[in-house]
Amino acid sequence: MSEARVRDGSVESNITASVGKPTVVVTGGAGYIGSHACKTLAAAGFVPVAYDNLVCGHRDDVKWGPFIEGSLEDRTKLDNMLALYRPIAVMHFAAFAQVGESVLDPGKYYRNNVVGSLSLLEAMRDHGVKNLVFSSSAATYGMPAATPIPDDHAQNPINTYGWTKLMMERMMADFSAAHGLSWLALRYFNAAGADPDVEIGERHNPESHLIPLVLDAALGRRPNITVFGTDYQTPDGTCIRDYIHVSDLADAHVLALRHLQNGGISGGFNLGNGAGYSVKEVIETAEYVTGRKIPTLFGQRRAGDPPRLVGDASRARNILGWKPRFSDLGIIVEHAWNHRKGYCHV
Ligand code: UFG
């Protein structure tokens, strides 16, 4: 290990470069999925450089490599970082990700998720960084016509968040044609769970996702959980989602990186388990895992919720050799619980 101190007016950071190890820049590396990717990258022999503006991320979740605080729109900082670390690839997680908010404040989402991503693409182009693994979403499919949703299903988002992710997929394809970028868009279904070693986990503020909210109700941190809609065309009337463990997502990113390093094809790959669970089933599973009764209210549908989102991850399985390790919902909820009960969010 060698240490260097850099002062260039805009970037000041303690930099620890591991001699001989390839470096990967991880935007959003202090966030939920990005921090898990950093842990998996380090275990696979890479040095993850976390680049995060800390609007959603947490500084203390950056544990496996250098940290640089910066935003995607800050070209000077991006340029300095890429020049300094000379990464073999970028993993791009940094984004706003609340569907409801994206519809109410589209400018915020297009600026950060699209303009910011374009700034990153141009910086990569100018520094000759050729490999990009992008955090895309099942939200790019909109209301799917088939389930499980195949990787080549038509993409027609029904909210601003989904459009921002699809626009980045388009930009990557165009940069690929013009500048030789190799890219994968990994379309997640519902990221859930936490690091099995409980070193990191899900820490959104405010929290809007089902599993952490259900666990907070089990802990008495909130009085109850409200089920959004009981009249969907599903067996128990509640929405069905494909919950995928965050560490399995992280594994897929490292496989995607190796795939690109080996000259593999670019494109969009689903990341899901191919199994759906209803909101009621999630609550029942959480009651079993925690051993606690979870006070439950039954409310109205939430606008923009498709009844069923389940992914067919055939490309990731067949081309990347990806095999989720924690596909059981009980394990996913147990890992989330192990993290949640030790985490004081106030
Ligand atoms: N739900 C409730 N009550 C709550 C919160 C959620 O019943 O208090 C329900 C939702 O209606 C939905 C399910 O639980 O049916 C899961 O909701 P989440 O908010 O946890 O996740 P979403 O499916 O809405 O969103 C996720 C990601 C998005 C991504 C989307 C793809 O968080 O980033 O999947 O459609 F865009």
Side-chain angles (χ1 to χ4, degrees):
M1 293 278 214
S2 67
E3 296 250 335
R5 186 91 179 153
V6 172
R7 284 172 193 273
D8 62 2
S10 61
V11 175
E12 182 180 325
S13 166
N14 259 324
I15 293 148
T16 304
S18 295
V19 177
K21 288 187 181 176
T23 296
V24 176
V25 163
V26 182
T27 74
Y32 174 40
I33 307 173
S35 62
H36 286 77
C38 286
K39 178 172 181 172
T40 305
L41 278 166
F46 298 93
V47 178
V49 177
Y51 186 82
D52 199 301
N53 62 6
L54 297 184
V55 170
C56 303
H58 305 273
R59 176 66 184 88
D60 57 342
D61 282 345
V62 180
K63 305 182 188 204
W64 292 278
F67 171 67
I68 295 182
E69 184 173 349
S71 84
L72 294 172
E73 290 180 75
D74 188 339
R75 259 308 291 269
T76 306
K77 233 173 217 187
L78 282 176
D79 284 338
N80 288 339
M81 175 182 59
L82 295 177
L84 183 66
Y85 287 105
R86 300 167 169 275
I88 56 150
V90 172
M91 288 189 182
H92 179 31
F93 296 91
F96 291 130
Q98 289 199 32
V99 171
E101 183 189 53
S102 78
V103 177
L104 296 173
D105 191 357
K108 174 177 176 178
Y109 277 69
Y110 285 119
R111 177 156 302 283
N112 188 62
N113 296 7
V114 179
V115 178
S117 294
L118 177 59
S119 161
L120 175 68
L121 279 173
E122 290 179 324
M124 289 177 65
R125 176 199 62 200
D126 294 349
H127 289 266
V129 183
K130 294 291 187 190
N131 297 317
L132 178 57
V133 182
F134 173 58
S135 168
S136 189
S137 172
T140 60
Y141 291 118
M143 295 292 266
T147 186
I149 305 170
D151 300 281
D152 60 358
H153 189 285
Q155 291 169 285
N156 192 16
I158 56 168
N159 53 58
T160 305
Y161 169 72
W163 277 112
T164 67
K165 292 290 178 179
L166 186 55
M167 285 180 185
M168 177 55 174
E169 290 198 18
R170 182 68 248 167
M171 291 195 293
M172 290 190 296
D174 290 345
F175 272 65
S176 179
H179 309 300
L181 178 75
S182 295
W183 59 278
L184 283 187
L186 301 181
R187 300 179 191 136
Y188 316 152
F189 284 71
N190 285 58
D195 172 37
D197 306 325
V198 205
E199 291 187 278
I200 41 179
E202 189 165 11
R203 299 165 70 188
H204 296 116
N205 188 13
E207 187 53 73
S208 66
H209 293 100
L210 179 65
I211 291 177
L213 291 178
V214 167
L215 296 179
D216 279 353
L219 286 163
R221 288 178 183 161
R222 48 183 296 128
N224 49 53
I225 183 76
T226 299
V227 176
F228 294 147
T230 54
D231 58 350
Y232 286 98
Q233 293 286 313
T234 59
D236 68 15
T238 67
C239 281
I240 290 176
R241 294 288 181 273
D242 182 344
Y243 295 91
I244 178 78
H245 196 292
V246 64
S247 297
D248 287 328
L249 292 180
D251 287 351
H253 283 74
V254 174
L255 292 169
L257 171 60
R258 294 198 196 286
H259 166 86
L260 294 179
Q261 280 185 293
N262 292 333
I265 57 159
S266 296
F269 287 29
N270 287 340
L271 295 181
N273 279 310
Y277 294 94
S278 72
V279 175
K280 277 186 183 165
E281 287 172 323
V282 169
I283 295 170
E284 284 161 16
T285 303
E287 288 188 330
Y288 179 77
V289 167
T290 63
R292 302 180 186 196
K293 186 79 193 142
I294 296 171
T296 304
L297 305 178
F298 296 95
Q300 299 300 309
R301 292 183 178 197
R302 184 174 67 178
D305 267 342
R308 184 189 302 261
L309 278 178
V310 177
D312 174 353
S314 293
R315 271 189 196 155
R317 288 173 182 273
N318 297 337
I319 298 177
L320 303 182
W322 180 61
K323 194 171 184 308
R325 290 179 289 150
F326 308 111
S327 51
D328 180 73
L329 181 66
I331 300 287
I332 292 173
V333 173
E334 186 183 324
H335 289 173
W337 174 240
N338 291 343
H339 178 261
R340 198 86 190 159
K341 63 189 176 189
Y343 155 52
C344 181
H345 64 314
V346 285

